[in-house]
Amino acid sequence: MSSPKPKPSSTAEHRSDGSQPWLHQKGRTIQEFGTVKQFPVALTMETRLYSCQRLNKVLADTRILHDLYKKYHWLMRGATFYQLHLLLDKHAGEQLELIDTVAERVQTLGGVAVGDPRHVAEITTVPRPPDGVEEVPSMLSRLLEAHELILTECHDAAARTQEYGDDGTNDLLVSEVVRTNELQAWFVAEHLVDTPLVHA
């Protein structure tokens, strides 16, 4: 007489149920932040590592600028509410496109794009604004300061990555990040000109 088969454990039952999601999984880190893996893109490991470091700084600052644009889009006040509400949201959308483009460039170089907002906060140099609502000129001034920080970083990073022979990163920084930020800074700055609306 054969002994009865043991009853499957809950784990075995769980595994046999193909529709059950595997929840609360923890895994090992397969690539550390600040490293690059070998990719066949005709750039040295040193060059790709340097470019990823500079790009992640730009990425962190750009993510903060995007969030500032969204915050001020929501909190806008006063007679220019409508036009600034729309303009700031448009700029936020353009910054969001830059975020994805810069992050993908980091990944293209074999690096790890900064992702977690708490990690972004550790890297960025854009000053933190008050949690409440500031006057409109102060909000716009903060946006301009963030733009200038990003542009300063990009000009230097573009020149250095060009020296390293990383044409792709140089082109992205100049053609997309710099030009977008310059144009947006112009649009925002012109709202801070104190000029009469009706007569001279």
Side-chain angles (χ1 to χ4, degrees):
M1 184 174 185
S2 60
S3 59
K5 291 183 179 178
K7 186 175 179 181
S9 68
S10 59
T11 304
E13 289 178 51
H14 178 84
R15 289 183 179 175
S16 66
D17 184 355
S19 67
Q20 173 60 47
W22 286 82
L23 306 175
H24 310 296
Q25 296 190 58
K26 302 289 188 295
R28 62 186 178 86
T29 300
I30 59 174
Q31 185 180 355
E32 295 289 342
F33 182 81
T35 66
V36 291
K37 55 189 175 182
Q38 190 57 50
F39 264 4
V41 291
L43 292 170
T44 67
M45 185 82 75
E46 178 188 16
T47 294
R48 292 183 296 109
L49 185 60
Y50 179 78
S51 291
C52 287
Q53 290 170 346
R54 299 304 298 264
L55 287 166
N56 267 319
K57 174 64 172 61
V58 172
L59 179 56
D61 289 344
T62 302
R63 289 188 60 182
I64 296 297
L65 177 57
H66 166 264
D67 287 347
L68 286 178
Y69 265 117
K70 289 303 289 187
K71 175 181 180 177
Y72 298 153
H73 157 76
W74 298 323
L75 302 182
M76 193 46 58
R77 302 283 195 276
T80 57
F81 167 81
Y82 184 71
Q83 69 186 61
L84 282 173
H85 179 72
L86 297 181
L87 178 66
L88 301 191
D89 201 38
K90 177 180 181 291
H91 283 192
E94 292 165 356
Q95 290 294 326
L96 191 59
E97 289 181 17
L98 286 180
I99 288 168
D100 203 45
T101 301
V102 174
E104 286 180 353
R105 180 64 188 170
V106 173
Q107 298 303 128
T108 299
L109 294 172
V112 179
V114 58
D116 191 306
R118 293 160 293 192
H119 192 183
V120 168
E122 294 171 0
I123 296 174
T124 187
T125 52
V126 177
R128 179 174 177 170
D131 292 334
V133 182
E134 293 182 279
E135 294 177 320
V136 173
S138 296
M139 289 192 272
L140 298 183
S141 292
R142 285 188 185 277
L143 292 172
L144 291 174
E145 289 166 9
H147 277 299
E148 191 165 24
L149 280 170
I150 290 169
L151 286 166
T152 301
E153 177 71 19
C154 281
H155 286 307
D156 184 67
R160 294 295 302 278
T161 55
Q162 183 64 42
E163 290 173 7
Y164 274 93
D166 186 353
D167 299 320
T169 296
N170 171 272
D171 179 61
L172 183 155
L173 291 170
V174 173
S175 299
E176 299 192 49
V177 183
V178 167
R179 289 182 180 170
T180 297
N181 278 274
E182 286 177 340
L183 189 64
Q184 290 187 353
W186 171 42
F187 271 66
V188 172
E190 292 296 353
H191 284 84
L192 291 174
V193 176
D194 186 13
T195 182
L197 295 176
V198 178
H199 60 83

